[in-house]
C-alpha cells in the first residue's frame, strides 16, 4: 500500500520504533539541524519536532507552526520503506526485468517506453478533482508561517531543503520535478537554486526566450516516494511522478494548482504556488552549508513570487540538513545508485556494480567494477559514464575488475593503491563539473579524473600480475569455526570479499583469451 500522507509514513516508522517525537521546544534556527545531524551521523531514528520554537520575530504569531519531520531517509532500511519496499534491490530487479522485456533501443528510449509496458500504464499519474492538500488555502500567503530551517551558522537565511519543485517545459509541455533548495527572501519571495545543468534551469531559459512568466509549484511531503523521485537523476522528459508511481505501485493522484496551471500531488502536505518572471533581475542566493560539507558561495538565481500556499489540516513540514558526510542524503543517493544501476547496465553491460562512497558526496567519487574484455576497456567506460546524464559531474571515477567488491570501500582503497601506475592508469579530462565544486578553476567547468585500477594486461604494459591472497573457502570455514570455539566472543570475521579472478587476466602476459 502506498503512503497516503507523510503522517502515514511516520506512523509506520513509529510502529517500528524508528521515530522519536521531540516534545521539547527546539528552534528551527540551527538547533533542529544540529540534532538531526547527530541522528544522521549515527544512523539514528527519524525525528518529529512537535514543538518548533520559532526564532524570535520570524513568525507571525497568528499563524500555526507546523511540526517538522527530519532524518526520514536516515538509514538504508527507512529509505527502502520510504520507497514502499523492504530492500532497494526489489524495485531494482523489477526495473531490470522490465528493461529486458523492452526492444533493444537506447537507455533513455527504454525509460520513455516504461509507461507503455503492460501494468506500468497503471502507474501513470491520475488526475483527481480535489485532495487533502487543499484543506487549508491561504491566498494571502506568508512563507514565514512555515517552520523553515536555518541549518548552518553562516547560511544566508532559512532554506526549504526537501522540496519537489514542479515546472513544465514551455515547448513540449512535459513536466519536471526536481529537488532544489529554496531560500526564503521575504513573506512571498523564494530564491530558486536550480543549478546550471538541471532541468528546471532549461525550462527557465525556455520561458525567458518566449518572454513568458514561468509557473512553478513546490510540493512538500506526501508519500516519501515523491520526495525521493524529485532527487532522482531522470533525464528531461521522464516524469518524476511517473517514476514515483512505479515505486509506489499506484499512480500519483494529481490536482490542478489554484493560481497557475501546473499539477501537484493531491496528497502532499504543503504546496507553494507562484510564478518566476524571467525578465526580473536575479537575486543573491546563499551562502548555504551544502552537501559537500562546505558552504556553497552566494550566487545569482531567479526569484519566485508566491501566489498561494495550500496545505493539509494535519500537515507536517519535511526537512533535511546537508553537510559534512555522512548525512541523510547519503541514503537518497544510495537509492539512486541501486535503481539506476540496471538502467546504466543496459548501455554498459560490462558494469557489474557501482558505489558512491559517502565521503565522495555522490559526485566527487564513484567506484565501478567491470567484466574487462579488451585492453583499454576501463578507459572506454570512463568516457561513456562521463557522457551519461548527471554522471558527467563525477569528479573521480575508479574502475575495478569484477572480483573487487565495490561496496567494500576499504577493499577499493587497497586495490586501487596497489594496482595503479600514475603515468599509465590516470585519465584527466575537461568538461562540465558540479556547480558546487569549489576546487574547479572556473564555475561549473573543470577537470575530472579516471583511475584504471583493473589488472593491466600485457597489451596495456602490464608485467606478470599477481593474484590477491585468498584461502580456499572450505579451509576458511573450518578455521573460522575453530576460532569461534577458541574465542567465543569474537565478532564475525573481517576480511575483504574477493571474487574469483577474472578469467582473461589469469594467464600473465597473454592478455585476453
Ligand atoms: C537534499 C538534496 C538537496 C538538493 N539541492 C539541490 C539544489 O539546491 N540545486 C540543484 O540543482 N540540485 C539539488 N539537488 C540535486 C538534484 O535534486 C538532483 O540533481 C536531481 O536529479 C535534479 O533533477 P532534474 O534532473 O530534474 O533537474 C539536491 C538533492 C538533494 C538530495
Amino acid at each position: 500500500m502506498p503512503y497516503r500522507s507523510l503522517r502515514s509514513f511516520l506512523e509506520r516508522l513509529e510502529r517500528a520504533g524508528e521515530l522519536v517525537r521531540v516534545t521539547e521546544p527546539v528552534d528551527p534556527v540551527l538547533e533542529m539541524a544540529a540534532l538531526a545531524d547527530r541522528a544522521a551521523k549515527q544512523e539514528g531514528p527519524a525525528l518529529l519536532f512537535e514543538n518548533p520554537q520559532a526564532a524570535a520575530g520570524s513568525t507571525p504569531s497568528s499563524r500555526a507552526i507546523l511540526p517538522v519531520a527530519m532524518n526520514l531517509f536516515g538509514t538504508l532500511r527507512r529509505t527502502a520503506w520510504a520507497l514502499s519496499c523492504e530492500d532497494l534491490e526489489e524495485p531494482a530487479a523489477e526495473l531490470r526485468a522490465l528493461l529486458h522485456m523492452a526492444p533493444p533501443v537506447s537507455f533513455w528510449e527504454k525509460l520513455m517506453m516504461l509507461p507503455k509496458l503492460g501494468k506500468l500504464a497503471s502507474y501513470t499519474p491520475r488526475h483527481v478533482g480535489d485532495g487533502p492538500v487543499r484543506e487549508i488555502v491561504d491566498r494571502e500567503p506568508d512563507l514565514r508561517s512555515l517552520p523553515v530551517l536555518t541549518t548552518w551558522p553562516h547560511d544566508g537565511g532559512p532554506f526549504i531543503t526537501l522540496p519537489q519543485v514542479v515546472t513544465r517545459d514551455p515547448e513540449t509541455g512535459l513536466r519536471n520535478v526536481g529537488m532544489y533548495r529554496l531560500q526564503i527572501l521575504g513573506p512571498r519571495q523564494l530564491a530558486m537554486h536550480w543549478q546550471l545543468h538541471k532541468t528546471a534551469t532549461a525550462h527557465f531559459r525556455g520561458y525567458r526566450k518566449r518572454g513568458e512568466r514561468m509557473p512553478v509549484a513546490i510540493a512538500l511531503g506526501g508519500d516519501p516516494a515523491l520526495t525521493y523521485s524529485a532527487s532522482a537523476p531522470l533525464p528531461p522528459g521522464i516524469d518524476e511522478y511517473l517514476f514515483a508511481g512505479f515505486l509506489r505501485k499506484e499512480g500519483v493522484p494529481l490536482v490542478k494548482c489554484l493560481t497557475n496551471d501546473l499539477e501537484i500531488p493531491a496528497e502532499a502536505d504543503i504546496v507553494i504556488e507562484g510564478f518566476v518572471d524571467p525578465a526580473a533581475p536575479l537575486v543573491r542566493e546563499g551562502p548555504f552549508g551544502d552537501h559537500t560539507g562546505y558552504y556553497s558561495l552566494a550566487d545569482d538565481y531567479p526569484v519566485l513570487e508566491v501566489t498561494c500556499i495550500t496545505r493539509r489540516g494535519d500537515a507536517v513540514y519535511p526537512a533535511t540538513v546537508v553537510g559534512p558526510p555522512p548525512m541523510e542524503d547519503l541514503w537518497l543517493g544510495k537509492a539512486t545508485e541501486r535503481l539506476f544501476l540496471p538502467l546504466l547496465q543496459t548501455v554498459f553491460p560490462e558494469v557489474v556494480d557501482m558505489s558512491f562512497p559517502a565521503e565522495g558526496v555522490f559526485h566527487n567519487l564513484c567506484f565501478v567494477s567491470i567484466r574487462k574484455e579488451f585492453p583499454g576497456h576501463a578507459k572506454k567506460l570512463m568516457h561513456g559514464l562521463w557522457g551519461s546524464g548527471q554522471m558527467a559531474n563525477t569528479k573521480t571515477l575508479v574502475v575495478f575488475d569484477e572480483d573487487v567488491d565495490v561496496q567494500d570501500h576499504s577493499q577499493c582503497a587497497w586495490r586501487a593503491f596497489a594496482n595503479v601506475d600514475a603515468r599509465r592508469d590516470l585519465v584527466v579530462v575537461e568538461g562540465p563539473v558540479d556547480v558546487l565544486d569549489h576546487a574547479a578553476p572556473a564555475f561549473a567547468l573543470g577537470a575530472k579524473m579516471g583511475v584504471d585500477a583493473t589488472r593491466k594486461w600485457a597489451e596495456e604494459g602490464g608485467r606478470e600480475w599477481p593474484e590477491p591472497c585468498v584461502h580456499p573457502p572450505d579451509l576458511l570455514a573450518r578455521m573460522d569455526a575453530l576460532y569461534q570455539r577458541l574465542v567465543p566472543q569474537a565478532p564475525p570475521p573481517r576480511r575483504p570479499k574477493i571474487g574469483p579472478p577474472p578469467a582473461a587476466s589469469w594467464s600473465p602476459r597473454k592478455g585476453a583469451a
Side-chain angles (χ1 to χ4, degrees):
M1 269 292 279
Y3 303 102
R4 298 264 161 255
S5 65
L6 182 48
R7 277 204 191 261
S8 58
F9 180 56
L10 292 172
E11 281 158 17
R12 169 164 192 193
L13 297 185
E14 191 157 40
R15 282 196 302 277
E18 296 254 356
L19 177 80
V20 166
R21 290 175 184 267
V22 185
T23 51
E24 292 85 347
V26 184
D27 197 331
V29 178
L30 302 183
E31 288 185 355
M32 284 187 186
L35 202 75
D37 181 20
R38 167 84 194 262
K41 292 270 187 295
Q42 299 180 335
E43 297 195 24
L47 301 171
L48 182 63
F49 295 94
E50 294 184 321
N51 189 9
Q53 175 199 286
S58 72
T59 305
S61 54
S62 59
R63 293 169 196 265
I65 287 280
L66 308 177
V68 177
M70 295 190 76
N71 207 28
L72 295 167
F73 300 91
T75 64
L76 187 59
R77 189 158 86 131
R78 283 211 295 282
T79 302
W81 290 354
L83 272 48
S84 287
C85 61
E86 291 298 322
D87 184 332
L88 292 172
E89 294 304 336
E90 295 165 21
E94 201 176 331
L95 263 178
R96 189 169 282 118
L98 282 165
L99 291 162
H100 281 143
M101 272 164 50
V105 288
S106 82
F107 169 38
W108 303 126
E109 281 170 316
K110 277 186 175 173
L111 211 51
M112 293 279 242
M113 289 181 62
L114 287 183
K116 297 184 193 119
L117 293 173
K119 64 180 176 177
L120 280 188
S122 67
Y123 300 158
T124 52
R126 296 180 286 123
H127 304 275
V128 296
D130 204 356
V133 71
R134 294 271 175 71
E135 280 165 8
I136 295 176
V137 175
D138 192 350
R139 290 178 187 270
E140 293 293 321
D142 187 335
L143 289 164
R144 294 168 302 177
S145 65
L146 301 174
V148 180
L149 277 63
T150 302
T151 50
W152 295 100
H154 302 305
D155 280 5
F159 288 81
I160 297 174
T161 50
L162 268 185
Q164 305 155 41
V165 179
V166 182
T167 58
R168 200 175 42 217
D169 185 320
E171 298 295 330
T172 63
L174 293 173
R175 174 176 37 240
N176 186 70
V177 189
M179 181 172 289
Y180 319 115
R181 71 168 188 248
L182 311 159
Q183 183 178 355
I184 298 200
L185 300 176
R188 293 192 193 169
Q189 286 198 322
L190 282 174
M192 311 300 287
H193 186 259
W194 44 53
Q195 295 161 354
L196 180 65
H197 309 125
K198 304 299 169 74
T199 310
T201 307
H203 292 180
F204 173 77
R205 282 194 294 265
Y207 284 97
R208 192 171 54 192
K209 210 158 115 200
R210 295 160 73 105
E212 291 171 13
R213 282 197 313 169
M214 174 180 184
V216 178
I218 297 147
L220 291 154
D223 185 332
L226 307 179
T227 302
Y228 162 70
S229 298
S231 78
L234 294 164
I238 308 289
D239 182 5
E240 282 77 5
Y241 284 151
L242 165 67
F243 191 58
F246 160 74
L247 292 171
R248 66 203 295 269
K249 304 282 171 280
E250 187 182 298
V252 178
L254 296 177
V255 283
K256 265 217 155 16
C257 284
L258 295 174
T259 58
N260 65 35
D261 58 358
L262 294 172
E263 286 162 323
I264 37 101
E267 294 169 349
D269 281 64
I270 303 162
V271 166
I272 301 167
E273 302 179 9
F275 290 90
V276 169
D277 178 0
L282 300 178
V283 289
R284 209 70 184 147
E285 196 267 3
F288 175 72
D290 224 315
H291 81 280
T292 56
Y294 291 84
Y295 286 95
S296 50
L297 304 175
D299 203 355
D300 294 338
Y301 281 91
V303 62
L304 178 86
E305 300 290 343
V306 177
T307 47
C308 178
I309 298 182
T310 73
R311 65 175 175 89
R312 286 173 172 267
D314 63 351
V316 175
Y317 175 83
T320 190
V321 51
V322 294
M327 281 291 202
E328 181 182 4
D329 60 346
L330 166 67
W331 303 111
L332 291 168
K334 199 60 169 171
T336 291
E337 176 194 300
R338 294 296 89 197
L339 292 171
F340 282 68
L341 176 63
L343 300 173
L344 267 186
Q345 285 168 326
T346 64
V347 192
F348 306 108
E350 65 270 47
V351 170
V352 174
D353 196 6
M354 66 174 173
S355 176
F356 294 84
E359 295 77 6
V361 302
F362 210 72
H363 47 78
N364 285 348
L365 181 59
C366 176
F367 294 147
V368 192
S369 55
I370 62 166
R371 271 180 295 273
K372 180 167 163 177
E373 280 161 9
F374 47 81
H377 198 158
K379 290 177 179 166
K380 173 178 181 281
L381 179 77
M382 291 171 198
H383 294 288
L385 291 180
W386 281 323
S388 302
Q390 290 187 37
M391 287 295 283
N393 291 343
T394 310
K395 192 151 89 160
T396 312
L397 254 175
V398 191
V399 184
F400 298 93
D401 282 305
E402 63 192 293
D403 63 328
V404 176
D405 175 9
V406 291
Q407 303 301 331
D408 175 354
H409 301 156
S410 161
Q411 176 176 178
C412 287
W414 159 52
R415 301 284 213 129
F417 291 131
N419 279 0
V420 168
D421 173 79
R423 194 173 306 280
R424 183 192 53 205
D425 299 330
L426 300 189
V427 175
V428 176
V429 297
E430 284 170 32
V433 295
D434 200 278
V435 163
L436 301 179
D437 184 355
H438 57 253
F443 175 74
L445 195 60
K448 295 169 263 199
M449 180 169 67
V451 181
D452 179 354
T454 60
R455 290 166 172 74
K456 297 303 148 356
W457 293 6
E459 299 91 322
E460 296 171 314
R463 294 182 296 122
E464 190 170 348
W465 202 272
E467 293 305 321
C469 315
V470 185
H471 283 124
D474 54 335
L475 177 137
L476 267 185
R478 278 191 289 113
M479 291 307 109
D480 278 347
L482 174 59
Y483 188 80
Q484 209 66 47
R485 283 201 301 280
L486 298 169
V487 189
Q489 309 82 5
R494 266 195 69 203
R495 64 173 73 94
K497 209 168 84 210
I498 297 170
S505 68
W506 186 237
S507 336
R509 294 191 158 272
K510 289 230 182 82

